[in-house]
Amino acid sequence: MAVAVTPSTHMATINPSLSSSNKVFMSTVASFSAETKETSWTRLRSSSHMTSRQPFLQSLTSVPVKCKRVLTRAMSAPNENKPLPGLPVDLRGKRAFIAGVADDNGYGWAIAKSLAAAGAEIVVGTWVPALNIFESSLRRGKFDESRVLPDGSLMEITKVYPMDAVFDSPEDVPEDVKTNKRYSGASKWTVQELVESVKQDFGSIDILVHSLANGPEVTKPLLETSRYGYLAAISASSYSFISLLKHFVPIMNPGGSSISLTYIASERIIPGYGGGMSSAKAALESDTQVLAFEAGRKHKIRVNTISAGPLRSRAAKAIGFIDMMIDYSLANAPLQKELSAEEVGNTAAFLASPLASAITGAVVYVDNGLNAMGVGVDSPIFANLDIPKDN
């Protein structure tokens, strides 16, 4: 993303009398000209995040301040190699494959948007039974509002592939799945076939995102979980990452990045998050470290995982107590605000970018700091302590 301005005198440095809002994530370039009408102070202050009017006027007393309309738009092809100002997350020329996108309100979608906003080409894999609904929603414009990027353009998904990461090759697919009507009409959806298709269509990728998990017995306590349910959770939620990386890494460009999503239940007790899912997330985090070593040494690929806080996604609602977890986080996390999917997406974009070129094998917490807490401060035990709270 970049800010395009009409030719004129460009301000490329920050004046000491200006302060940057903590909501601004990359620097912009402002253009000032004497040819246009003077912009009102209120509008100028809002767009430039100025702390006071007087210091600004004192710094520009020699000429009246004039401002042309600044147009924000996505980078076009001619600007492909032009460096962006400041220290941006620049993924132009990179291709990302996001496994596990089936709607527009989960972390996978948010990661895709952030990668697209940084300039990456987006390719996704969607679970076969959800493929028709997802593609139909895209065609009908149901996701258009959710596709809007910070520059006003719409996120483009170059291609959607059918995928079921539980099966590595066609030989692994049991007959009852092959004949299941939810899989009818779809082909080449095992991991091996998927990667072969991506290679044939694009040749290579730079970024691999694993955003999928499934535990058929997630609502059962671990003591009541069957062997089938436990192994199914491990297979879909952790080994699927190994399989995807194993098959994709030969077509990943050196310096590429692989990212998965985990949850604090891997290391803390979260009652209700059962069925072997806590074990699956623990395995995923352990595998992240081993894969970081192996993929790093052999292929120069970085491997990290994001431990994301609770989100009101459709998948999370299947657990049955996501609202309680969000309320608990609001009451006890150091940052008392509801986590947004965009915050996780932006972290993924950073981890995929050259700015994180020395980060691998890491569990990155994006949970408003909840992972750092040793107690729940909303407990009546702490009622007499002077603990700051947002009202």
PDB file of all heavy atoms in Angstrom, residues 85-123:
ATOM      1  N   PRO A  85       8.052   4.604   1.527  1.00  0.00           N
ATOM      2  CA  PRO A  85       8.685   5.445   2.544  1.00  0.00           C
ATOM      3  C   PRO A  85       8.588   4.809   3.924  1.00  0.00           C
ATOM      4  O   PRO A  85       7.726   3.978   4.185  1.00  0.00           O
ATOM      5  CB  PRO A  85       7.872   6.744   2.487  1.00  0.00           C
ATOM      6  CG  PRO A  85       6.520   6.310   1.994  1.00  0.00           C
ATOM      7  CD  PRO A  85       6.794   5.197   1.025  1.00  0.00           C
ATOM      8  N   GLY A  86       9.499   5.205   4.810  1.00  0.00           N
ATOM      9  CA  GLY A  86       9.438   4.715   6.183  1.00  0.00           C
ATOM     10  C   GLY A  86       9.907   3.274   6.299  1.00  0.00           C
ATOM     11  O   GLY A  86      10.819   2.829   5.608  1.00  0.00           O
ATOM     12  N   LEU A  87       9.244   2.499   7.163  1.00  0.00           N
ATOM     13  CA  LEU A  87       9.594   1.097   7.407  1.00  0.00           C
ATOM     14  C   LEU A  87       8.336   0.259   7.232  1.00  0.00           C
ATOM     15  O   LEU A  87       7.737  -0.196   8.197  1.00  0.00           O
ATOM     16  CB  LEU A  87      10.163   0.938   8.821  1.00  0.00           C
ATOM     17  CG  LEU A  87      10.834  -0.395   9.154  1.00  0.00           C
ATOM     18  CD1 LEU A  87      12.092  -0.581   8.322  1.00  0.00           C
ATOM     19  CD2 LEU A  87      11.181  -0.451  10.638  1.00  0.00           C
ATOM     20  N   PRO A  88       7.924   0.042   6.000  1.00  0.00           N
ATOM     21  CA  PRO A  88       6.639  -0.605   5.757  1.00  0.00           C
ATOM     22  C   PRO A  88       6.729  -2.125   5.746  1.00  0.00           C
ATOM     23  O   PRO A  88       7.796  -2.709   5.604  1.00  0.00           O
ATOM     24  CB  PRO A  88       6.275  -0.103   4.359  1.00  0.00           C
ATOM     25  CG  PRO A  88       7.614  -0.001   3.675  1.00  0.00           C
ATOM     26  CD  PRO A  88       8.583   0.450   4.754  1.00  0.00           C
ATOM     27  N   VAL A  89       5.571  -2.767   5.913  1.00  0.00           N
ATOM     28  CA  VAL A  89       5.446  -4.194   5.648  1.00  0.00           C
ATOM     29  C   VAL A  89       5.146  -4.307   4.160  1.00  0.00           C
ATOM     30  O   VAL A  89       4.042  -4.008   3.716  1.00  0.00           O
ATOM     31  CB  VAL A  89       4.317  -4.832   6.483  1.00  0.00           C
ATOM     32  CG1 VAL A  89       4.095  -6.274   6.065  1.00  0.00           C
ATOM     33  CG2 VAL A  89       4.650  -4.765   7.967  1.00  0.00           C
ATOM     34  N   ASP A  90       6.142  -4.685   3.395  1.00  0.00           N
ATOM     35  CA  ASP A  90       6.044  -4.685   1.937  1.00  0.00           C
ATOM     36  C   ASP A  90       6.127  -6.112   1.417  1.00  0.00           C
ATOM     37  O   ASP A  90       7.173  -6.748   1.462  1.00  0.00           O
ATOM     38  CB  ASP A  90       7.175  -3.822   1.350  1.00  0.00           C
ATOM     39  CG  ASP A  90       7.043  -3.647  -0.158  1.00  0.00           C
ATOM     40  OD1 ASP A  90       6.087  -4.207  -0.737  1.00  0.00           O
ATOM     41  OD2 ASP A  90       7.896  -2.964  -0.754  1.00  0.00           O
ATOM     42  N   LEU A  91       5.015  -6.621   0.937  1.00  0.00           N
ATOM     43  CA  LEU A  91       4.961  -7.987   0.412  1.00  0.00           C
ATOM     44  C   LEU A  91       4.621  -8.007  -1.075  1.00  0.00           C
ATOM     45  O   LEU A  91       4.153  -9.028  -1.598  1.00  0.00           O
ATOM     46  CB  LEU A  91       3.937  -8.810   1.201  1.00  0.00           C
ATOM     47  CG  LEU A  91       4.251  -9.028   2.682  1.00  0.00           C
ATOM     48  CD1 LEU A  91       3.100  -9.745   3.377  1.00  0.00           C
ATOM     49  CD2 LEU A  91       5.542  -9.814   2.853  1.00  0.00           C
ATOM     50  N   ARG A  92       4.862  -6.896  -1.749  1.00  0.00           N
ATOM     51  CA  ARG A  92       4.614  -6.863  -3.186  1.00  0.00           C
ATOM     52  C   ARG A  92       5.510  -7.874  -3.892  1.00  0.00           C
ATOM     53  O   ARG A  92       6.683  -8.007  -3.573  1.00  0.00           O
ATOM     54  CB  ARG A  92       4.868  -5.464  -3.734  1.00  0.00           C
ATOM     55  CG  ARG A  92       3.840  -4.429  -3.295  1.00  0.00           C
ATOM     56  CD  ARG A  92       4.256  -3.036  -3.716  1.00  0.00           C
ATOM     57  NE  ARG A  92       5.482  -2.622  -3.033  1.00  0.00           N
ATOM     58  CZ  ARG A  92       6.166  -1.528  -3.344  1.00  0.00           C
ATOM     59  NH1 ARG A  92       5.764  -0.757  -4.332  1.00  0.00           N
ATOM     60  NH2 ARG A  92       7.257  -1.214  -2.670  1.00  0.00           N
ATOM     61  N   GLY A  93       4.929  -8.591  -4.849  1.00  0.00           N
ATOM     62  CA  GLY A  93       5.676  -9.608  -5.568  1.00  0.00           C
ATOM     63  C   GLY A  93       5.692 -10.953  -4.873  1.00  0.00           C
ATOM     64  O   GLY A  93       6.263 -11.921  -5.393  1.00  0.00           O
ATOM     65  N   LYS A  94       5.063 -11.064  -3.697  1.00  0.00           N
ATOM     66  CA  LYS A  94       5.009 -12.315  -2.953  1.00  0.00           C
ATOM     67  C   LYS A  94       3.653 -12.981  -3.168  1.00  0.00           C
ATOM     68  O   LYS A  94       2.630 -12.325  -3.374  1.00  0.00           O
ATOM     69  CB  LYS A  94       5.235 -12.083  -1.458  1.00  0.00           C
ATOM     70  CG  LYS A  94       6.511 -11.324  -1.116  1.00  0.00           C
ATOM     71  CD  LYS A  94       7.745 -12.097  -1.522  1.00  0.00           C
ATOM     72  CE  LYS A  94       9.006 -11.360  -1.090  1.00  0.00           C
ATOM     73  NZ  LYS A  94      10.248 -12.087  -1.526  1.00  0.00           N
ATOM     74  N   ARG A  95       3.651 -14.303  -3.091  1.00  0.00           N
ATOM     75  CA  ARG A  95       2.407 -15.070  -3.247  1.00  0.00           C
ATOM     76  C   ARG A  95       2.163 -15.868  -1.968  1.00  0.00           C
ATOM     77  O   ARG A  95       3.059 -16.553  -1.475  1.00  0.00           O
ATOM     78  CB  ARG A  95       2.501 -16.003  -4.447  1.00  0.00           C
ATOM     79  CG  ARG A  95       1.229 -16.820  -4.699  1.00  0.00           C
ATOM     80  CD  ARG A  95       1.367 -17.685  -5.960  1.00  0.00           C
ATOM     81  NE  ARG A  95       1.558 -16.838  -7.135  1.00  0.00           N
ATOM     82  CZ  ARG A  95       2.686 -16.799  -7.842  1.00  0.00           C
ATOM     83  NH1 ARG A  95       3.727 -17.547  -7.493  1.00  0.00           N
ATOM     84  NH2 ARG A  95       2.786 -16.003  -8.893  1.00  0.00           N
ATOM     85  N   ALA A  96       0.945 -15.781  -1.442  1.00  0.00           N
ATOM     86  CA  ALA A  96       0.603 -16.458  -0.197  1.00  0.00           C
ATOM     87  C   ALA A  96      -0.489 -17.492  -0.434  1.00  0.00           C
ATOM     88  O   ALA A  96      -1.465 -17.226  -1.139  1.00  0.00           O
ATOM     89  CB  ALA A  96       0.141 -15.451   0.849  1.00  0.00           C
ATOM     90  N   PHE A  97      -0.316 -18.654   0.170  1.00  0.00           N
ATOM     91  CA  PHE A  97      -1.369 -19.671   0.174  1.00  0.00           C
ATOM     92  C   PHE A  97      -1.887 -19.788   1.600  1.00  0.00           C
ATOM     93  O   PHE A  97      -1.126 -20.092   2.517  1.00  0.00           O
ATOM     94  CB  PHE A  97      -0.858 -21.026  -0.304  1.00  0.00           C
ATOM     95  CG  PHE A  97      -1.941 -22.077  -0.378  1.00  0.00           C
ATOM     96  CD1 PHE A  97      -2.681 -22.248  -1.530  1.00  0.00           C
ATOM     97  CD2 PHE A  97      -2.240 -22.867   0.727  1.00  0.00           C
ATOM     98  CE1 PHE A  97      -3.694 -23.190  -1.595  1.00  0.00           C
ATOM     99  CE2 PHE A  97      -3.243 -23.816   0.681  1.00  0.00           C
ATOM    100  CZ  PHE A  97      -3.983 -23.980  -0.483  1.00  0.00           C
ATOM    101  N   ILE A  98      -3.178 -19.524   1.771  1.00  0.00           N
ATOM    102  CA  ILE A  98      -3.791 -19.598   3.098  1.00  0.00           C
ATOM    103  C   ILE A  98      -4.713 -20.815   3.121  1.00  0.00           C
ATOM    104  O   ILE A  98      -5.711 -20.868   2.396  1.00  0.00           O
ATOM    105  CB  ILE A  98      -4.582 -18.318   3.446  1.00  0.00           C
ATOM    106  CG1 ILE A  98      -3.657 -17.103   3.458  1.00  0.00           C
ATOM    107  CG2 ILE A  98      -5.240 -18.453   4.807  1.00  0.00           C
ATOM    108  CD1 ILE A  98      -3.659 -16.325   2.168  1.00  0.00           C
ATOM    109  N   ALA A  99      -4.379 -21.782   3.942  1.00  0.00           N
ATOM    110  CA  ALA A  99      -5.158 -23.010   4.053  1.00  0.00           C
ATOM    111  C   ALA A  99      -6.181 -22.878   5.174  1.00  0.00           C
ATOM    112  O   ALA A  99      -5.821 -22.586   6.312  1.00  0.00           O
ATOM    113  CB  ALA A  99      -4.237 -24.198   4.327  1.00  0.00           C
ATOM    114  N   GLY A 100      -7.452 -23.066   4.830  1.00  0.00           N
ATOM    115  CA  GLY A 100      -8.480 -23.057   5.863  1.00  0.00           C
ATOM    116  C   GLY A 100      -9.386 -21.848   5.857  1.00  0.00           C
ATOM    117  O   GLY A 100      -9.966 -21.517   6.896  1.00  0.00           O
ATOM    118  N   VAL A 101      -9.551 -21.181   4.724  1.00  0.00           N
ATOM    119  CA  VAL A 101     -10.462 -20.038   4.640  1.00  0.00           C
ATOM    120  C   VAL A 101     -11.795 -20.531   4.098  1.00  0.00           C
ATOM    121  O   VAL A 101     -11.870 -21.046   2.976  1.00  0.00           O
ATOM    122  CB  VAL A 101      -9.899 -18.925   3.719  1.00  0.00           C
ATOM    123  CG1 VAL A 101     -10.883 -17.759   3.633  1.00  0.00           C
ATOM    124  CG2 VAL A 101      -8.549 -18.457   4.229  1.00  0.00           C
ATOM    125  N   ALA A 102     -12.860 -20.379   4.892  1.00  0.00           N
ATOM    126  CA  ALA A 102     -14.174 -20.853   4.463  1.00  0.00           C
ATOM    127  C   ALA A 102     -15.266 -19.817   4.673  1.00  0.00           C
ATOM    128  O   ALA A 102     -16.415 -20.042   4.302  1.00  0.00           O
ATOM    129  CB  ALA A 102     -14.542 -22.139   5.195  1.00  0.00           C
ATOM    130  N   ASP A 103     -14.930 -18.675   5.284  1.00  0.00           N
ATOM    131  CA  ASP A 103     -15.884 -17.592   5.465  1.00  0.00           C
ATOM    132  C   ASP A 103     -15.100 -16.292   5.627  1.00  0.00           C
ATOM    133  O   ASP A 103     -13.886 -16.268   5.435  1.00  0.00           O
ATOM    134  CB  ASP A 103     -16.814 -17.849   6.661  1.00  0.00           C
ATOM    135  CG  ASP A 103     -16.040 -18.084   7.957  1.00  0.00           C
ATOM    136  OD1 ASP A 103     -15.058 -17.364   8.209  1.00  0.00           O
ATOM    137  OD2 ASP A 103     -16.424 -18.988   8.731  1.00  0.00           O
ATOM    138  N   ASP A 104     -15.804 -15.235   6.000  1.00  0.00           N
ATOM    139  CA  ASP A 104     -15.150 -13.920   6.052  1.00  0.00           C
ATOM    140  C   ASP A 104     -14.996 -13.372   7.465  1.00  0.00           C
ATOM    141  O   ASP A 104     -14.749 -12.177   7.635  1.00  0.00           O
ATOM    142  CB  ASP A 104     -15.929 -12.911   5.207  1.00  0.00           C
ATOM    143  CG  ASP A 104     -17.315 -12.623   5.760  1.00  0.00           C
ATOM    144  OD1 ASP A 104     -17.845 -13.480   6.502  1.00  0.00           O
ATOM    145  OD2 ASP A 104     -17.866 -11.547   5.466  1.00  0.00           O
ATOM    146  N   ASN A 105     -15.124 -14.226   8.485  1.00  0.00           N
ATOM    147  CA  ASN A 105     -15.038 -13.669   9.837  1.00  0.00           C
ATOM    148  C   ASN A 105     -14.058 -14.408  10.749  1.00  0.00           C
ATOM    149  O   ASN A 105     -14.063 -14.191  11.959  1.00  0.00           O
ATOM    150  CB  ASN A 105     -16.432 -13.629  10.489  1.00  0.00           C
ATOM    151  CG  ASN A 105     -16.922 -15.002  10.905  1.00  0.00           C
ATOM    152  OD1 ASN A 105     -16.426 -16.028  10.445  1.00  0.00           O
ATOM    153  ND2 ASN A 105     -17.907 -15.021  11.786  1.00  0.00           N
ATOM    154  N   GLY A 106     -13.202 -15.244  10.167  1.00  0.00           N
ATOM    155  CA  GLY A 106     -12.218 -15.951  10.973  1.00  0.00           C
ATOM    156  C   GLY A 106     -10.828 -15.355  10.822  1.00  0.00           C
ATOM    157  O   GLY A 106     -10.613 -14.388  10.081  1.00  0.00           O
ATOM    158  N   TYR A 107      -9.880 -15.949  11.515  1.00  0.00           N
ATOM    159  CA  TYR A 107      -8.511 -15.457  11.461  1.00  0.00           C
ATOM    160  C   TYR A 107      -7.885 -15.676  10.083  1.00  0.00           C
ATOM    161  O   TYR A 107      -7.061 -14.882   9.636  1.00  0.00           O
ATOM    162  CB  TYR A 107      -7.667 -16.137  12.536  1.00  0.00           C
ATOM    163  CG  TYR A 107      -7.900 -15.579  13.922  1.00  0.00           C
ATOM    164  CD1 TYR A 107      -8.055 -16.435  15.021  1.00  0.00           C
ATOM    165  CD2 TYR A 107      -7.960 -14.210  14.144  1.00  0.00           C
ATOM    166  CE1 TYR A 107      -8.259 -15.924  16.298  1.00  0.00           C
ATOM    167  CE2 TYR A 107      -8.170 -13.700  15.408  1.00  0.00           C
ATOM    168  CZ  TYR A 107      -8.316 -14.555  16.486  1.00  0.00           C
ATOM    169  OH  TYR A 107      -8.526 -14.038  17.744  1.00  0.00           O
ATOM    170  N   GLY A 108      -8.252 -16.758   9.409  1.00  0.00           N
ATOM    171  CA  GLY A 108      -7.698 -17.008   8.082  1.00  0.00           C
ATOM    172  C   GLY A 108      -8.018 -15.894   7.114  1.00  0.00           C
ATOM    173  O   GLY A 108      -7.149 -15.433   6.353  1.00  0.00           O
ATOM    174  N   TRP A 109      -9.269 -15.444   7.118  1.00  0.00           N
ATOM    175  CA  TRP A 109      -9.689 -14.342   6.257  1.00  0.00           C
ATOM    176  C   TRP A 109      -8.947 -13.060   6.626  1.00  0.00           C
ATOM    177  O   TRP A 109      -8.480 -12.324   5.748  1.00  0.00           O
ATOM    178  CB  TRP A 109     -11.196 -14.137   6.377  1.00  0.00           C
ATOM    179  CG  TRP A 109     -11.743 -13.012   5.563  1.00  0.00           C
ATOM    180  CD1 TRP A 109     -11.850 -11.698   5.929  1.00  0.00           C
ATOM    181  CD2 TRP A 109     -12.257 -13.094   4.231  1.00  0.00           C
ATOM    182  NE1 TRP A 109     -12.391 -10.950   4.913  1.00  0.00           N
ATOM    183  CE2 TRP A 109     -12.665 -11.784   3.862  1.00  0.00           C
ATOM    184  CE3 TRP A 109     -12.436 -14.134   3.313  1.00  0.00           C
ATOM    185  CZ2 TRP A 109     -13.226 -11.499   2.603  1.00  0.00           C
ATOM    186  CZ3 TRP A 109     -12.995 -13.853   2.069  1.00  0.00           C
ATOM    187  CH2 TRP A 109     -13.377 -12.549   1.725  1.00  0.00           C
ATOM    188  N   ALA A 110      -8.832 -12.794   7.910  1.00  0.00           N
ATOM    189  CA  ALA A 110      -8.146 -11.579   8.367  1.00  0.00           C
ATOM    190  C   ALA A 110      -6.684 -11.584   7.950  1.00  0.00           C
ATOM    191  O   ALA A 110      -6.129 -10.548   7.560  1.00  0.00           O
ATOM    192  CB  ALA A 110      -8.266 -11.438   9.884  1.00  0.00           C
ATOM    193  N   ILE A 111      -6.047 -12.742   8.036  1.00  0.00           N
ATOM    194  CA  ILE A 111      -4.650 -12.847   7.616  1.00  0.00           C
ATOM    195  C   ILE A 111      -4.535 -12.607   6.115  1.00  0.00           C
ATOM    196  O   ILE A 111      -3.631 -11.904   5.648  1.00  0.00           O
ATOM    197  CB  ILE A 111      -4.076 -14.222   8.003  1.00  0.00           C
ATOM    198  CG1 ILE A 111      -3.936 -14.317   9.533  1.00  0.00           C
ATOM    199  CG2 ILE A 111      -2.724 -14.466   7.339  1.00  0.00           C
ATOM    200  CD1 ILE A 111      -3.544 -15.697  10.033  1.00  0.00           C
ATOM    201  N   ALA A 112      -5.453 -13.185   5.354  1.00  0.00           N
ATOM    202  CA  ALA A 112      -5.450 -12.968   3.908  1.00  0.00           C
ATOM    203  C   ALA A 112      -5.566 -11.480   3.585  1.00  0.00           C
ATOM    204  O   ALA A 112      -4.856 -10.958   2.712  1.00  0.00           O
ATOM    205  CB  ALA A 112      -6.596 -13.748   3.254  1.00  0.00           C
ATOM    206  N   LYS A 113      -6.441 -10.781   4.301  1.00  0.00           N
ATOM    207  CA  LYS A 113      -6.625  -9.341   4.052  1.00  0.00           C
ATOM    208  C   LYS A 113      -5.362  -8.550   4.370  1.00  0.00           C
ATOM    209  O   LYS A 113      -4.972  -7.647   3.610  1.00  0.00           O
ATOM    210  CB  LYS A 113      -7.790  -8.800   4.884  1.00  0.00           C
ATOM    211  CG  LYS A 113      -9.153  -9.091   4.306  1.00  0.00           C
ATOM    212  CD  LYS A 113     -10.251  -8.385   5.082  1.00  0.00           C
ATOM    213  CE  LYS A 113     -10.164  -6.877   4.973  1.00  0.00           C
ATOM    214  NZ  LYS A 113     -11.286  -6.197   5.646  1.00  0.00           N
ATOM    215  N   SER A 114      -4.737  -8.853   5.473  1.00  0.00           N
ATOM    216  CA  SER A 114      -3.533  -8.111   5.850  1.00  0.00           C
ATOM    217  C   SER A 114      -2.393  -8.374   4.867  1.00  0.00           C
ATOM    218  O   SER A 114      -1.651  -7.460   4.497  1.00  0.00           O
ATOM    219  CB  SER A 114      -3.097  -8.478   7.274  1.00  0.00           C
ATOM    220  OG  SER A 114      -4.035  -8.005   8.223  1.00  0.00           O
ATOM    221  N   LEU A 115      -2.260  -9.616   4.435  1.00  0.00           N
ATOM    222  CA  LEU A 115      -1.240  -9.937   3.442  1.00  0.00           C
ATOM    223  C   LEU A 115      -1.534  -9.221   2.132  1.00  0.00           C
ATOM    224  O   LEU A 115      -0.623  -8.696   1.479  1.00  0.00           O
ATOM    225  CB  LEU A 115      -1.176 -11.447   3.216  1.00  0.00           C
ATOM    226  CG  LEU A 115      -0.715 -12.308   4.403  1.00  0.00           C
ATOM    227  CD1 LEU A 115      -0.822 -13.792   4.055  1.00  0.00           C
ATOM    228  CD2 LEU A 115       0.707 -11.957   4.808  1.00  0.00           C
ATOM    229  N   ALA A 116      -2.806  -9.174   1.753  1.00  0.00           N
ATOM    230  CA  ALA A 116      -3.187  -8.476   0.519  1.00  0.00           C
ATOM    231  C   ALA A 116      -2.933  -6.980   0.639  1.00  0.00           C
ATOM    232  O   ALA A 116      -2.477  -6.331  -0.311  1.00  0.00           O
ATOM    233  CB  ALA A 116      -4.663  -8.741   0.201  1.00  0.00           C
ATOM    234  N   ALA A 117      -3.237  -6.421   1.807  1.00  0.00           N
ATOM    235  CA  ALA A 117      -3.012  -4.993   2.023  1.00  0.00           C
ATOM    236  C   ALA A 117      -1.535  -4.649   1.904  1.00  0.00           C
ATOM    237  O   ALA A 117      -1.175  -3.529   1.509  1.00  0.00           O
ATOM    238  CB  ALA A 117      -3.540  -4.570   3.391  1.00  0.00           C
ATOM    239  N   ALA A 118      -0.665  -5.609   2.235  1.00  0.00           N
ATOM    240  CA  ALA A 118       0.783  -5.396   2.137  1.00  0.00           C
ATOM    241  C   ALA A 118       1.299  -5.672   0.730  1.00  0.00           C
ATOM    242  O   ALA A 118       2.495  -5.518   0.482  1.00  0.00           O
ATOM    243  CB  ALA A 118       1.515  -6.268   3.148  1.00  0.00           C
ATOM    244  N   GLY A 119       0.415  -6.098  -0.168  1.00  0.00           N
ATOM    245  CA  GLY A 119       0.802  -6.267  -1.564  1.00  0.00           C
ATOM    246  C   GLY A 119       0.919  -7.691  -2.048  1.00  0.00           C
ATOM    247  O   GLY A 119       1.233  -7.917  -3.214  1.00  0.00           O
ATOM    248  N   ALA A 120       0.672  -8.685  -1.191  1.00  0.00           N
ATOM    249  CA  ALA A 120       0.833 -10.083  -1.595  1.00  0.00           C
ATOM    250  C   ALA A 120      -0.336 -10.553  -2.452  1.00  0.00           C
ATOM    251  O   ALA A 120      -1.469 -10.084  -2.313  1.00  0.00           O
ATOM    252  CB  ALA A 120       0.967 -10.976  -0.368  1.00  0.00           C
ATOM    253  N   GLU A 121      -0.057 -11.499  -3.333  1.00  0.00           N
ATOM    254  CA  GLU A 121      -1.098 -12.174  -4.095  1.00  0.00           C
ATOM    255  C   GLU A 121      -1.692 -13.268  -3.217  1.00  0.00           C
ATOM    256  O   GLU A 121      -0.958 -13.996  -2.550  1.00  0.00           O
ATOM    257  CB  GLU A 121      -0.520 -12.778  -5.376  1.00  0.00           C
ATOM    258  CG  GLU A 121      -1.548 -13.502  -6.231  1.00  0.00           C
ATOM    259  CD  GLU A 121      -0.948 -14.147  -7.469  1.00  0.00           C
ATOM    260  OE1 GLU A 121       0.305 -14.206  -7.567  1.00  0.00           O
ATOM    261  OE2 GLU A 121      -1.723 -14.610  -8.324  1.00  0.00           O
ATOM    262  N   ILE A 122      -3.017 -13.399  -3.228  1.00  0.00           N
ATOM    263  CA  ILE A 122      -3.694 -14.310  -2.315  1.00  0.00           C
ATOM    264  C   ILE A 122      -4.287 -15.509  -3.051  1.00  0.00           C
ATOM    265  O   ILE A 122      -5.053 -15.362  -4.009  1.00  0.00           O
ATOM    266  CB  ILE A 122      -4.811 -13.574  -1.546  1.00  0.00           C
ATOM    267  CG1 ILE A 122      -4.245 -12.365  -0.803  1.00  0.00           C
ATOM    268  CG2 ILE A 122      -5.509 -14.535  -0.592  1.00  0.00           C
ATOM    269  CD1 ILE A 122      -3.160 -12.687   0.202  1.00  0.00           C
ATOM    270  N   VAL A 123      -3.928 -16.685  -2.573  1.00  0.00           N
ATOM    271  CA  VAL A 123      -4.488 -17.949  -3.042  1.00  0.00           C
ATOM    272  C   VAL A 123      -4.943 -18.706  -1.795  1.00  0.00           C
ATOM    273  O   VAL A 123      -4.226 -18.725  -0.795  1.00  0.00           O
ATOM    274  CB  VAL A 123      -3.438 -18.776  -3.818  1.00  0.00           C
ATOM    275  CG1 VAL A 123      -4.051 -20.072  -4.315  1.00  0.00           C
ATOM    276  CG2 VAL A 123      -2.857 -17.972  -4.973  1.00  0.00           C
TER     277      VAL A 123
END
